[in-house]
Amino acid sequence: MKIAIAGTGYVGLSNGLLLAQQNEVVALDIVPQKVELINNGISPIEDKEIEEFLPKYIGKSFRATLDKQEAYKEADFIIIATPTDYDPETNYFNTKSIEAVIKDVLEINPNATMVIKSTIPVGYTKSLREKFNTNNIIFSPEFLREGKALYDNLYPSRIIVGEKSKRAELFAALLAKGAIKQDVPVLFTNSTEAEAIKLFANTYLAMRVAYFNELDSYCMEHNLNTQDIIEGVGLDPRIGMHYNNPSFGYGGYCLPKDTKQLLANYKDVPSNLIEAIVNANATRKDVIANTIIKKLGSNPQEKIVGIYRLVMKSGSDNFRSSAIQGIMKRVKAKGIEVVVYEPVLNDEHFFGSRVIKDFDEFKKISNIIVANRLEESLKDVQDKVFTRDIFNSD
């Protein structure tokens, strides 16, 4: 089959390479530099499996293009994986890129089945079908981790397609065939239920992060051993020892925007928990920033806070909405200089903070080094490091 992919971020590239194992895949992007990199077998994002798969399939069953006609013409499925950032003014995802793709597809290949993989509001697919007077739009949520996107497609927890139809079964079969994991659970729902599954799943993950972060905030305030308490709690099999490592807050591309979108969808439904999850993340950043400032001691304005890495986790190069940026803003608001060490940044400054390229210089000039996750490279300055990484895991 021929499959087109609109968008070459984590979602687009990982789905494209998964499907390129058995199909012809053409990935469309609007950034010439990304298309050139991809066609040279170089991944524009940091993802171990994508970096391994891309050179194998590029120029054979996978290619990238800037040409809509080349991508969409004669495609059986067109996967829409364009970004949908959350707009706090409208309390809604910015879905303009999705609608732009749909308009182009309806002009070039109206018989193709469009599968939206971008995260969207609850009820959006139904509204699109009415707006564009077409039934050729399906939603299929993705459940991928940044830096592990292709791995999570090769070993998926589940495959969900928001339609109960033969073409939905065919699309699910394509995903399952590309996976290494056998007997992947597959669920077919209506489109609105599939949209809700994505938002509720990510909000539950955010709730779990927020829970263990608030547990850790309590332990910091009362000088208790966080690790002992988390291990004691997690030994209950209903809770478990997974996804429990304290951090500076949930961040990344999905959890902050998905929790806010779900909260907006609750505007006519009595609730307390969803809003508490959103608010808990801001409170955690307040707690962390205040703790850092206290650790600076007297005359904090004369000292330097070093931020070690803006990325959320190891194996990722994405720092969109990373929690540590919220810590930076709060510390800088107190008149304290903040410097950044982030190898993936080429700029001299990041939102007004100096970017220090030399790691040894960074360690030397920083009075305190703030690290969301502790790494081996910081062991020689461990006395300077402030982290809440208890289990040395994401």
Side-chain angles (χ1 to χ4, degrees), residues 95 142 189 272 300 340:
T95 53
E142 53 81 15
T189 72
N272 300 105
V340 175

Side-chain angles (χ1 to χ4, degrees), residues 140-309:
S140 175
E142 53 81 15
F143 305 98
L144 310 177
R145 296 168 293 173
E146 293 173 5
K148 287 276 190 180
L150 181 49
Y151 180 91
D152 287 342
N153 264 320
L154 294 168
Y155 300 91
S157 58
R158 70 280 210 197
I159 294 169
I160 296 175
V161 184
E163 188 173 270
K164 299 177 182 181
S165 65
K166 290 294 182 184
R167 64 184 180 182
E169 292 173 8
L170 175 58
F171 183 73
L174 289 172
L175 298 179
K177 190 176 181 181
I180 294 173
K181 180 180 176 181
Q182 299 296 305
D183 301 319
V184 178
V186 179
L187 177 66
F188 299 99
T189 72
N190 293 324
S191 62
T192 305
E193 282 79 359
E195 293 157 353
I197 287 168
K198 174 61 187 283
L199 296 186
F200 275 106
N202 275 350
T203 300
Y204 178 86
L205 294 176
M207 178 183 70
R208 192 168 170 106
V209 172
Y211 174 83
F212 285 107
N213 281 343
E214 291 210 348
L215 184 158
D216 181 53
S217 294
Y218 182 87
C219 291
M220 285 197 295
E221 180 66 27
H222 294 282
N223 197 27
L224 301 176
N225 187 309
T226 297
Q227 182 170 349
D228 286 352
I229 295 175
I230 289 178
E231 287 181 349
V233 168
L235 286 171
D236 185 327
R238 295 170 299 177
I239 299 171
M241 288 299 297
H242 61 282
Y243 212 63
N244 60 359
N245 196 20
S247 66
F248 296 153
Y250 60 79
Y253 185 58
C254 291
L255 299 195
K257 69 181 184 120
D258 290 5
T259 52
K260 290 174 183 174
Q261 179 63 70
L262 185 59
L263 178 59
N265 281 120
Y266 260 86
K267 66 178 185 225
D268 299 321
V269 181
S271 67
N272 300 105
L273 181 58
I274 309 300
E275 184 174 10
I277 294 167
V278 173
N279 293 339
N281 211 38
T283 301
R284 175 64 169 178
K285 293 173 191 175
D286 291 339
V287 169
I288 295 296
N290 290 336
T291 303
I292 292 166
I293 294 166
K294 285 178 186 175
K295 284 184 174 293
L296 289 172
S298 58
N299 302 317
Q301 287 77 14
E302 297 175 7
K303 295 172 183 174
I304 295 176
V305 173
I307 302 296
Y308 175 76
R309 305 302 308 266

